[in-house]
Amino acid sequence: MSDQSDLMDALRFALSSRADVDALETAEDWAPEWRAQAAEGLSPVALAVSGGFLSDRLAWAFAGGYQAALRRLLTPFRPQLLENEWTMALCATESSGNRPRDIRTQVTDNGDGTVTVSGEKSWTTLGPVADVLLVVARVNGHEPEARPELKVVAVPASSEGIYFSEKTPLEFVPEVPHQAAAFDNVRVPRAAVLSGDGYSDYVKPFRTVEDTFIAIATHAYLLREARYRGWPDPLIEALAANLFSLGSLASVDASSPATHVALAGLLGQGQALYGRVTDQWRGSDNGDPALRRWLRDQPLFQIASKPRELRVQRAWEQLATLPEPRLS
């Protein structure tokens, strides 16, 4: 099935499926529902739509979009991981950041078909319900101050030698848990080391992929709320149109400057739609607990706003220096 037909099927699902969903209060409630969706073998974009549409709050739309984004990121490198219904977490950030020079966690080849992962990660989204941790680590043997060779290692969260510590819940989407993780000589098969560069193929593009997929899931969530609450058709149509555009963008090269420019435009349109949703919701029922959660969770959309601004600024600069393309 093509990406476009898959996306169209997902959009039809969001526009015609029953719009009442069960309330889920905790990540432990959400995780089995997500695994059931992942077991259906849907594409990452369809999973983002499904995960958002079946959410009763922004927290689970975010969680579904995050999971779908990881699946999109892994597709070129380890598609076998997508054959399972696992929940995953990208473990990149350390105490000093997530740039290549900030990564001190190490992966060491033991020479016996296994590798050992050692180090600490300060931020693991959905850590308490993750089945697999995608750990960004420098290959042991490089000088500490040199540009390290980074790899991603798929580590089962149940592995011996992993220690988690809880992080204080955020004031917005507090239902989504975060943990710090310490890896004390965690041994896994060498096959757990994913192909590609840990930074240029995973950490760097994930910023764009994550923005795209969380926006897809958020639009699907709001589309369901709009249908459930009988909001005006023009608002539903606008949400559907932007969702489709985001889904189309999700299948192209996330590193292309043209992608970054288009994404900036779609995210801007999304912010305008979120404002229309808020106005509609406030006019319908100010006492609605779902509205209170939506208002509480608005700061989510401002996370990493400065890096997004810099990303699109660099994209315009790159486009200005590229040779004039020819259409074939």
Side-chain angles (χ1 to χ4, degrees), residues 27-102:
E28 287 71 22
D29 297 330
W30 167 82
E33 299 294 328
W34 167 259
R35 294 186 183 108
Q37 294 176 56
E40 295 179 5
L42 300 174
S43 69
V45 167
L47 268 176
V49 174
S50 172
F53 183 84
L54 296 176
S55 297
D56 74 305
R57 62 196 66 193
L58 183 58
W60 308 137
F62 166 84
Y66 175 79
Q67 291 297 315
L70 286 173
R71 287 171 173 267
R72 173 67 180 87
L73 187 72
L74 291 172
T75 297
F77 302 104
R78 188 62 66 87
Q80 298 91 332
L81 279 176
L82 312 186
E83 297 172 0
N84 298 281
E85 63 271 19
W86 293 325
T87 55
M88 296 180 282
L90 181 63
C91 301
T93 304
E94 301 193 5
S95 58
S96 54
N98 62 9
R99 296 164 297 182
R101 65 175 178 270
D102 298 325

Side-chain angles (χ1 to χ4, degrees), residues 221-288:
Y221 158 64
L222 293 175
L223 196 157
R224 183 198 62 76
E225 289 284 10
R227 288 184 51 228
Y228 176 70
R229 298 171 191 282
W231 291 346
D233 286 349
L235 178 54
I236 296 173
E237 293 158 5
L239 287 165
N242 218 47
L243 188 159
F244 189 84
S245 296
L246 286 160
S248 298
L249 197 67
S251 64
V252 302
D253 181 7
S255 65
S256 167
T259 300
H260 295 157
V261 169
L263 179 58
L266 290 173
L267 293 178
Q269 291 176 188
Q271 285 295 324
L273 282 171
Y274 301 161
R276 289 175 60 184
V277 163
T278 300
D279 292 342
Q280 180 68 45
W281 221 330
R282 279 177 164 153
S284 303
D285 187 355
N286 271 320
D288 186 349

Side-chain angles (χ1 to χ4, degrees), residues 87-121:
T87 55
M88 296 180 282
L90 181 63
C91 301
T93 304
E94 301 193 5
S95 58
S96 54
N98 62 9
R99 296 164 297 182
R101 65 175 178 270
D102 298 325
I103 304 300
R104 291 292 180 261
T105 297
Q106 293 192 340
V107 56
T108 303
D109 193 323
N110 299 314
D112 60 358
T114 69
V115 298
T116 299
V117 177
S118 298
E120 297 182 356
K121 298 296 182 178

